[in-house]
Amino acid sequence: MEIVELRPRLHLFRFPVGQAYLWRDGDELTLVDAGPPGSGSALVDAVTELGLRPGDVRRVVLTHFHGDHSGGAGEFAELTGATVFAHHLDAPMVRGEVPGPAAVLEDWEVPLFESVTQAVPTPTEQHVYAAELQEVTDGDVLPFGGGAHVVGAPGHTRGSIGLHLPEHGVLFTGDAVAQAPETGVLLGVFNQDKAQAVASFRRLAALEADTACFGHGDPVRADAATALRAAAARYATA
């Protein structure tokens, strides 16, 4: 796992597919997303490598139910005692109660989807978050980062969320937005509802943010709002 410092309070944990983020408020830590199945112990090691205590991770906030973001949550929570949060519409999938709806793939996405699917381990019963799951919804404010605003961002999944920390100018977009080396900031792929995903992209882009952290691709570390708004405008009529 690659560890990248984005700010003194913010680190990126990069997996072969996808990434998670660690936010620090003094001795209290928050993890945004938890990597693919089997990542729990690797996350514990990463937190320790930073000189921090895994037991100080109070919460894991999932941006959506897909396995490359939620797969490590159960194991990590069991190892650390952290509470896991997810949007109420994605919570049943995180708990393993029902299968997740399939994405509606465009033709060009099919080979990419097959490649990514092969690279992410298949969840097993031990990867399902079995303890009590705290459900959130659009407009909730979680107690980290000076107040982390839950921003409903459906389209990638029905219960996809962003997290906005206005006090620090930080935005976590999950897979609603991504960045690719060749094209820069763009709409996330593998969406259940593209029109809804475009609307969510535009909603996230309207927020004030200096740093934008994506589920896939390098974060934007400065003047993120300008980059997101320019990219979202390309999809305005989608």
Side-chain angles (χ1 to χ4, degrees), residues 162-181:
L163 293 166
H164 184 216
L165 281 56
E167 183 176 310
H168 299 280
V170 173
L171 176 65
F172 301 94
T173 72
D175 283 0
V177 188
Q179 177 157 224

mmCIF file of all heavy atoms in Angstrom, residues 162-181:
data_model
loop_
_atom_site.group_PDB
_atom_site.id
_atom_site.type_symbol
_atom_site.label_atom_id
_atom_site.label_comp_id
_atom_site.label_asym_id
_atom_site.label_seq_id
_atom_site.Cartn_x
_atom_site.Cartn_y
_atom_site.Cartn_z
ATOM 1 N N GLY A 162 -20.702 12.306 -0.865
ATOM 2 C CA GLY A 162 -19.465 13.025 -0.697
ATOM 3 C C GLY A 162 -19.383 13.516 0.730
ATOM 4 O O GLY A 162 -20.375 13.506 1.471
ATOM 5 N N LEU A 163 -18.217 13.939 1.142
ATOM 6 C CA LEU A 163 -18.008 14.530 2.468
ATOM 7 C C LEU A 163 -17.285 15.853 2.282
ATOM 8 O O LEU A 163 -16.209 15.900 1.665
ATOM 9 C CB LEU A 163 -17.180 13.595 3.360
ATOM 10 C CG LEU A 163 -17.839 12.282 3.763
ATOM 11 C CD1 LEU A 163 -16.807 11.323 4.329
ATOM 12 C CD2 LEU A 163 -18.943 12.526 4.786
ATOM 13 N N HIS A 164 -17.870 16.916 2.802
ATOM 14 C CA HIS A 164 -17.318 18.258 2.633
ATOM 15 C C HIS A 164 -16.918 18.805 3.994
ATOM 16 O O HIS A 164 -17.742 18.837 4.912
ATOM 17 C CB HIS A 164 -18.367 19.161 1.975
ATOM 18 C CG HIS A 164 -17.864 20.537 1.673
ATOM 19 N ND1 HIS A 164 -18.657 21.664 1.785
ATOM 20 C CD2 HIS A 164 -16.641 20.987 1.257
ATOM 21 C CE1 HIS A 164 -17.951 22.722 1.427
ATOM 22 N NE2 HIS A 164 -16.729 22.350 1.116
ATOM 23 N N LEU A 165 -15.667 19.216 4.106
ATOM 24 C CA LEU A 165 -15.144 19.835 5.324
ATOM 25 C C LEU A 165 -14.909 21.310 5.034
ATOM 26 O O LEU A 165 -13.802 21.722 4.641
ATOM 27 C CB LEU A 165 -13.832 19.166 5.754
ATOM 28 C CG LEU A 165 -13.879 17.829 6.497
ATOM 29 C CD1 LEU A 165 -14.644 16.759 5.731
ATOM 30 C CD2 LEU A 165 -12.461 17.340 6.801
ATOM 31 N N PRO A 166 -15.952 22.145 5.144
ATOM 32 C CA PRO A 166 -15.814 23.545 4.750
ATOM 33 C C PRO A 166 -14.747 24.303 5.522
ATOM 34 O O PRO A 166 -14.107 25.199 4.979
ATOM 35 C CB PRO A 166 -17.201 24.147 5.006
ATOM 36 C CG PRO A 166 -18.075 23.075 5.495
ATOM 37 C CD PRO A 166 -17.297 21.809 5.607
ATOM 38 N N GLU A 167 -14.562 23.949 6.794
ATOM 39 C CA GLU A 167 -13.571 24.660 7.607
ATOM 40 C C GLU A 167 -12.165 24.491 7.048
ATOM 41 O O GLU A 167 -11.304 25.360 7.207
ATOM 42 C CB GLU A 167 -13.633 24.150 9.051
ATOM 43 C CG GLU A 167 -12.696 24.856 10.001
ATOM 44 C CD GLU A 167 -12.853 24.392 11.441
ATOM 45 O OE1 GLU A 167 -14.003 24.351 11.932
ATOM 46 O OE2 GLU A 167 -11.830 24.072 12.075
ATOM 47 N N HIS A 168 -11.926 23.375 6.368
ATOM 48 C CA HIS A 168 -10.587 23.067 5.856
ATOM 49 C C HIS A 168 -10.518 23.079 4.331
ATOM 50 O O HIS A 168 -9.432 22.861 3.770
ATOM 51 C CB HIS A 168 -10.131 21.706 6.381
ATOM 52 C CG HIS A 168 -10.036 21.642 7.869
ATOM 53 N ND1 HIS A 168 -8.965 22.143 8.580
ATOM 54 C CD2 HIS A 168 -10.915 21.161 8.799
ATOM 55 C CE1 HIS A 168 -9.168 21.964 9.878
ATOM 56 N NE2 HIS A 168 -10.334 21.369 10.042
ATOM 57 N N GLY A 169 -11.634 23.289 3.659
ATOM 58 C CA GLY A 169 -11.626 23.307 2.206
ATOM 59 C C GLY A 169 -11.296 21.965 1.592
ATOM 60 O O GLY A 169 -10.640 21.884 0.538
ATOM 61 N N VAL A 170 -11.777 20.890 2.220
ATOM 62 C CA VAL A 170 -11.500 19.538 1.747
ATOM 63 C C VAL A 170 -12.807 18.875 1.322
ATOM 64 O O VAL A 170 -13.824 18.988 2.009
ATOM 65 C CB VAL A 170 -10.806 18.691 2.835
ATOM 66 C CG1 VAL A 170 -10.665 17.235 2.390
ATOM 67 C CG2 VAL A 170 -9.435 19.283 3.159
ATOM 68 N N LEU A 171 -12.767 18.174 0.188
ATOM 69 C CA LEU A 171 -13.929 17.466 -0.334
ATOM 70 C C LEU A 171 -13.532 16.048 -0.700
ATOM 71 O O LEU A 171 -12.580 15.838 -1.454
ATOM 72 C CB LEU A 171 -14.471 18.186 -1.573
ATOM 73 C CG LEU A 171 -15.643 17.525 -2.304
ATOM 74 C CD1 LEU A 171 -16.884 17.498 -1.415
ATOM 75 C CD2 LEU A 171 -15.925 18.254 -3.618
ATOM 76 N N PHE A 172 -14.260 15.068 -0.147
ATOM 77 C CA PHE A 172 -14.111 13.668 -0.534
ATOM 78 C C PHE A 172 -15.282 13.326 -1.450
ATOM 79 O O PHE A 172 -16.445 13.477 -1.059
ATOM 80 C CB PHE A 172 -14.136 12.757 0.696
ATOM 81 C CG PHE A 172 -13.059 13.056 1.708
ATOM 82 C CD1 PHE A 172 -13.310 13.894 2.795
ATOM 83 C CD2 PHE A 172 -11.788 12.508 1.583
ATOM 84 C CE1 PHE A 172 -12.332 14.174 3.735
ATOM 85 C CE2 PHE A 172 -10.802 12.777 2.518
ATOM 86 C CZ PHE A 172 -11.068 13.611 3.593
ATOM 87 N N THR A 173 -15.002 12.847 -2.651
ATOM 88 C CA THR A 173 -16.065 12.634 -3.638
ATOM 89 C C THR A 173 -16.461 11.181 -3.827
ATOM 90 O O THR A 173 -17.436 10.901 -4.518
ATOM 91 C CB THR A 173 -15.646 13.170 -5.014
ATOM 92 O OG1 THR A 173 -14.637 12.305 -5.580
ATOM 93 C CG2 THR A 173 -15.130 14.590 -4.934
ATOM 94 N N GLY A 174 -15.717 10.241 -3.216
ATOM 95 C CA GLY A 174 -15.980 8.840 -3.555
ATOM 96 C C GLY A 174 -15.785 8.641 -5.048
ATOM 97 O O GLY A 174 -14.901 9.255 -5.662
ATOM 98 N N ASP A 175 -16.633 7.822 -5.661
ATOM 99 C CA ASP A 175 -16.504 7.552 -7.092
ATOM 100 C C ASP A 175 -17.401 8.436 -7.954
ATOM 101 O O ASP A 175 -17.553 8.201 -9.154
ATOM 102 C CB ASP A 175 -16.802 6.077 -7.378
ATOM 103 C CG ASP A 175 -15.636 5.175 -7.012
ATOM 104 O OD1 ASP A 175 -14.606 5.693 -6.543
ATOM 105 O OD2 ASP A 175 -15.761 3.944 -7.181
ATOM 106 N N ALA A 176 -18.002 9.462 -7.339
ATOM 107 C CA ALA A 176 -18.796 10.400 -8.136
ATOM 108 C C ALA A 176 -17.911 11.184 -9.095
ATOM 109 O O ALA A 176 -18.355 11.606 -10.162
ATOM 110 C CB ALA A 176 -19.554 11.354 -7.219
ATOM 111 N N VAL A 177 -16.652 11.400 -8.702
ATOM 112 C CA VAL A 177 -15.676 12.118 -9.513
ATOM 113 C C VAL A 177 -14.377 11.322 -9.458
ATOM 114 O O VAL A 177 -14.096 10.647 -8.465
ATOM 115 C CB VAL A 177 -15.446 13.548 -8.990
ATOM 116 C CG1 VAL A 177 -14.584 14.355 -9.963
ATOM 117 C CG2 VAL A 177 -16.769 14.269 -8.728
ATOM 118 N N ALA A 178 -13.591 11.409 -10.523
ATOM 119 C CA ALA A 178 -12.306 10.718 -10.572
ATOM 120 C C ALA A 178 -11.301 11.615 -11.280
ATOM 121 O O ALA A 178 -11.625 12.707 -11.742
ATOM 122 C CB ALA A 178 -12.446 9.378 -11.295
ATOM 123 N N GLN A 179 -10.073 11.135 -11.369
ATOM 124 C CA GLN A 179 -9.061 11.831 -12.164
ATOM 125 C C GLN A 179 -8.205 10.793 -12.875
ATOM 126 O O GLN A 179 -7.798 9.790 -12.275
ATOM 127 C CB GLN A 179 -8.183 12.760 -11.329
ATOM 128 C CG GLN A 179 -7.091 13.436 -12.152
ATOM 129 C CD GLN A 179 -6.566 14.732 -11.571
ATOM 130 O OE1 GLN A 179 -6.398 15.698 -12.302
ATOM 131 N NE2 GLN A 179 -6.277 14.779 -10.281
ATOM 132 N N ALA A 180 -7.953 11.028 -14.150
ATOM 133 C CA ALA A 180 -7.109 10.153 -14.956
ATOM 134 C C ALA A 180 -5.924 10.954 -15.479
ATOM 135 O O ALA A 180 -6.074 12.149 -15.782
ATOM 136 C CB ALA A 180 -7.907 9.566 -16.115
ATOM 137 N N PRO A 181 -4.751 10.326 -15.595
ATOM 138 C CA PRO A 181 -3.568 11.074 -16.043
ATOM 139 C C PRO A 181 -3.751 11.728 -17.409
ATOM 140 O O PRO A 181 -3.254 12.826 -17.648
ATOM 141 C CB PRO A 181 -2.468 10.000 -16.079
ATOM 142 C CG PRO A 181 -2.943 8.920 -15.158
ATOM 143 C CD PRO A 181 -4.438 8.928 -15.258
#
